[in-house]
Amino acid sequence: MFDEQKVIEGCRKNDRRSQEKLYEWAYVKLMPTCMRYHKNEEDARNVLNLGFVKICKNLDKLKEGTPFEAWVRRIMMNTIIDEFRKNKNYMQLVDQKETDRELEIHGLSVDNGVWSKLEMDILMGLLKRLPDVSRKVFNLYVIDGYSHKEIGDMLDISDGTSKWHLSNARKLLREMVVKLNKSENTELWGYENG
């Protein structure tokens, strides 16, 4: 059993067993979030480890009454964003005219009937196929609930570029879903194509 206060106090005293318990707890709670933002488990684990170090170093800054899990998740999200910024050379920059044009062409609607048939592991597999920036924007907007302005601030891109990446992610996901739907691999969907 995870005794939050006891583990936190132990970690503040550099107790290795407490740190191990905190890491096991953090792994279960935070690894799914890290996997959403990285294409492979190794990269996700690396960012988890970086976030864990920050958590341990900042335990003295945890204010009494602050929900521990929320505090830890915030540190992890900041770590994910910081790592993204460090690797910014992979980011695609799109000017405002292209952004507006892409939004008009592709729109933002998704056929919920198709999405409801996706299993979570299939969806996660599809998300991993998206370009890095589009995947991050999609996760931040759709899954984590950030606004385009917040995403723009986090990723150091404009609101319009964030909107374009969301549109691009949705367009690519829609194409992948259609391709999967047309494939002969019907056991993924649980119904026969007609």
Side-chain angles (χ1 to χ4, degrees), residues 99-194:
T99 301
D100 291 341
R101 193 181 63 166
E102 285 289 293
L103 286 173
E104 288 173 19
I105 292 170
H106 300 296
L108 296 174
S109 66
V110 174
D111 181 358
N112 288 332
V114 173
W115 283 109
S116 65
K117 292 175 180 22
L118 287 175
E119 293 180 20
M120 185 54 82
D121 56 337
I122 295 171
L123 178 59
M124 295 308 288
L126 295 178
L127 286 174
K128 288 180 183 180
R129 295 164 129 185
L130 292 174
D132 288 340
V133 178
S134 294
R135 184 180 69 253
K136 284 175 176 55
V137 170
F138 183 88
N139 280 325
L140 288 166
Y141 187 85
V142 175
I143 297 174
D144 295 320
Y146 289 97
S147 70
H148 286 294
K149 178 164 181 15
E150 291 170 318
I151 294 168
D153 291 343
M154 283 188 260
L155 301 182
D156 199 23
I157 59 177
S158 71
D159 298 5
T161 301
S162 175
K163 290 175 185 176
W164 181 88
H165 281 291
L166 177 63
S167 173
N168 185 49
R170 286 179 168 169
K171 178 188 84 146
L172 293 172
L173 286 170
R174 201 170 21 252
E175 290 170 0
M176 286 186 264
V177 168
V178 168
K179 188 176 179 181
L180 275 175
N181 196 27
K182 289 181 179 178
S183 76
E184 294 181 6
N185 200 359
T186 58
E187 68 270 7
L188 289 174
W189 299 99
Y191 68 91
E192 293 292 324
N193 290 329

Side-chain angles (χ1 to χ4, degrees), residues 8-57:
I8 291 170
E9 287 307 313
C11 288
R12 286 178 174 158
K13 295 175 184 174
N14 287 324
D15 175 63
R16 292 287 180 208
R17 286 190 178 169
S18 295
Q19 290 170 340
E20 185 178 324
K21 285 181 182 180
L22 181 59
Y23 185 83
E24 290 170 359
W25 176 86
Y27 189 92
V28 170
K29 295 287 184 181
L30 302 174
M31 189 62 169
T33 300
C34 295
M35 286 296 295
R36 281 200 322 262
Y37 288 92
H38 293 281
K39 288 186 178 184
N40 61 61
E41 190 173 341
E42 183 181 344
D43 290 341
R45 190 175 290 121
N46 285 339
V47 80
L48 175 74
N49 291 339
L50 290 171
F52 181 74
V53 169
K54 289 180 182 180
I55 290 164
C56 287
K57 285 184 177 181

